[in-house]
Amino acid sequence: QVQVVQSGGGLVQPGGSLKLSCKAKGTILNIYHGSWYRQAPGKQRELVATDRYDNSEINLDSVKGRFTVSRDNVYNTMYLQMNNLQPEDTAVYYCNAKFLGSDHPVTGYWGQGTQVTVSS
């Protein structure tokens, strides 16, 4: 079975940086379509970025120029590099991984989420 495991969250001061990882286990397939979401307390979940194996995009205007996405296909891991973090970036961050094939759900597999807190 496929499992998606996240790590890299934590507490950081404004202006600091964190790098989140999202590793897919239990499949030899590369992640076809990866995505990053975040949800702050009392707020709606929002799309942060997408990563489609051969390209990537920052979807959230408020983090453009500060966040970047990358991946390592050998280890089937996606990364979200977050620089110049601000208090409004505080949220639980989730990743989602989708794979080709009818035996995989079209909704993909979700990571467990990781807390990012930006505070002085």
Side-chain angles (χ1 to χ4, degrees), residues 3-74:
Q3 186 178 18
V4 177
V5 181
Q6 297 181 237
S7 63
L11 174 65
V12 66
Q13 293 183 336
S17 298
L18 287 172
K19 187 175 184 179
L20 307 183
S21 65
C22 174
K23 182 176 178 60
K25 299 181 178 180
T27 180
I28 63 172
L29 296 176
N30 291 132
I31 300 170
Y32 175 73
H33 184 179
S35 56
W36 292 92
Y37 294 80
R38 71 183 187 184
Q39 187 168 24
K43 302 292 185 179
Q44 187 175 347
R45 181 177 294 184
E46 55 189 353
L47 177 65
V48 177
T50 52
D51 181 7
R52 293 184 175 88
Y53 178 78
D54 60 349
N55 64 10
S56 62
E57 179 182 11
I58 301 296
N59 302 93
L60 189 61
D61 287 343
S62 62
V63 305
K64 288 182 177 178
R66 299 188 294 119
F67 290 13
T68 58
V69 293
S70 63
R71 67 163 64 199
D72 185 333
N73 285 320
V74 173

